[in-house]
Amino acid sequence: MQNILALVVSNALLYATPLIFTALGGVFSERSGIVNVGLEGIMVIGAFSSVVFNLTFAGQFGDFTPWLALLVGGLCGLLFALIHAVATVNLRADHIISGTVLNLIAPSLAIFLTKVLFQGKGQTDSIKTKFGKFDFPVLSDIPVIGPIFFAKTSILAYVGIVLAFVVWYLVFKTRFGLRLRSVGENPQAADTLGINVYLMRYSGVLLSGLLGGIGGAAYTHTISENFAVSTIAGQGFMAMAAMIFGKWNPIGAMLAAIFFGLAQSLAVIGASIPVIRDIPSVYLQIAPYVITIIVLIGFVGRSKAPEAVGTTYIKSK
């Protein structure tokens, strides 16, 4: 039983990791008042750029390559999110349409560049330096709990969990967070108090790009190990669902991401679990997407989003 629990927990955290980072990015964007349905496209760019960096520089940076690849993926995601920020903040484009355009551009651009860089192939080569299973010193030796939660697990998952608490503190306990939330609730009132609404909204969108890019990079460096057009298949939308399920709260979004990670992992490890091994694998594979739809249908109307989310702000003279 302990071995089964350890398998379930480690794989749930593994698949939750990209969702945690991306959902936290979505919190920043929507708390500032900008809907970012382009998280899927941002993850694609982060995944592609991180793999290319890894394959190019693994010889120079060795074991540090995956960590640097996360940073590169995050920076590329930030630059890609800049398109959404300019479109929604300055050009006053519809947030949904702008985000959808990102989702359409990203896979096409990434596959085009993949074919250019990898002799016409539809996918990149597999990376050799990646994030493997990690044993926490001391903690993994704790009886019962240690082998389940702290042995042969994903260190990135715990980085994401810690980051969720950091983001919660930043959003709810700092001046920056207060200003960010104020422009997402009532930008006119925030403006009268001297808060730069455009700057705060740019900050929210760019932070979502940074974390979304890291989420895409985390997926390729822990799960897929390469990039193809199907690598990021609905992960960004699951992250959005986790954000909504978590009621735009970083800790809630993180917990929801772990729940979705568990749903995804069951499709992989279901054959090893006595209770569900007899369920046809196709049902386990579609379960995460069905759950995403159910969450969006059941919770979008009940969850209270920031008042001004999705609205265009025009600075009054």
Side-chain angles (χ1 to χ4, degrees):
M1 185 63 181
Q2 179 176 302
N3 291 336
I4 293 176
L5 284 175
L7 180 66
V8 170
V9 171
S10 64
N11 279 275
L13 290 176
L14 180 70
Y15 281 87
T17 301
L19 303 181
I20 293 174
F21 285 105
T22 308
L24 293 177
V27 170
F28 275 117
S29 182
E30 300 219 356
R31 280 290 179 179
S32 73
I34 303 295
V35 176
N36 192 354
V37 299
L39 292 174
E40 177 91 358
I42 291 170
M43 287 187 76
V44 169
I45 295 299
F48 166 75
S49 58
S50 66
V51 169
V52 172
F53 175 85
N54 188 310
L55 292 171
T56 304
F57 295 102
Q60 287 90 329
F61 298 112
D63 293 339
F64 290 104
T65 306
W67 294 101
L68 294 175
L70 286 183
L71 179 60
V72 169
L75 292 176
C76 290
L78 183 150
L79 292 175
F80 195 63
L82 184 61
I83 300 172
H84 189 52
V86 172
T88 55
V89 177
N90 294 105
L91 303 181
R92 303 168 188 169
D94 182 274
H95 298 194
I96 304 298
I97 293 175
S98 176
T100 301
V101 169
L102 294 188
N103 291 337
L104 293 174
I105 291 175
S108 302
L109 175 62
I111 288 302
F112 170 75
L113 293 176
T114 298
K115 291 187 175 183
V116 170
L117 296 174
F118 297 91
Q119 295 77 48
K121 296 179 182 178
Q123 63 183 28
T124 67
D125 298 333
S126 296
I127 59 176
K128 298 294 188 287
T129 54
K130 57 186 179 181
F131 293 102
K133 297 291 185 179
F134 182 79
D135 292 337
F136 283 91
V138 181
L139 294 177
S140 61
D141 296 327
I142 299 174
V144 183
I145 296 176
I148 295 175
F149 292 98
F150 302 114
K152 294 181 175 58
T153 189
S154 169
I155 188 173
L156 268 189
Y158 286 92
V159 171
I161 291 170
V162 171
L163 180 63
F165 287 92
V166 173
V167 171
W168 177 86
Y169 182 83
L170 184 63
V171 170
F172 291 104
K173 299 295 181 180
T174 66
R175 179 180 296 179
F176 170 81
L178 177 61
R179 292 182 175 186
L180 187 77
R181 288 183 289 121
S182 68
V183 301
E185 295 290 344
N186 193 327
Q188 287 80 12
D191 193 7
T192 60
L193 294 174
I195 298 173
N196 189 327
V197 176
Y198 292 165
L199 177 61
M200 296 310 301
R201 288 194 162 184
Y202 260 90
S203 299
V205 175
L206 295 183
L207 283 170
S208 75
L210 176 67
L211 291 172
I214 291 175
Y219 192 91
T220 54
H221 281 73
T222 57
I223 300 171
S224 69
E225 300 178 11
N226 73 344
F227 176 81
V229 69
S230 59
T231 297
I232 306 297
Q235 299 295 310
F237 296 110
M238 284 189 198
M240 278 199 70
M243 175 194 66
I244 295 170
F245 197 8
K247 297 183 178 180
W248 292 267
N249 183 299
I251 297 176
M254 176 266 292
L255 294 174
I258 293 175
F259 171 72
F260 283 113
L262 173 62
Q264 288 189 83
S265 69
L266 291 179
V268 179
I269 63 172
S272 302
I273 303 176
V275 179
I276 64 173
R277 65 173 44 160
D278 295 328
I279 299 176
S281 60
V282 64
Y283 294 127
L284 295 176
Q285 290 169 358
I286 67 173
Y289 305 100
V290 173
I291 292 173
T292 300
I293 294 172
I294 292 173
V295 167
L296 289 175
I297 293 174
F299 287 87
V300 167
R302 298 179 185 178
S303 298
K304 188 177 185 301
E307 287 291 339
V309 70
T311 62
T312 298
Y313 175 69
I314 302 175
K315 184 177 177 62
S316 57
K317 297 181 179 179

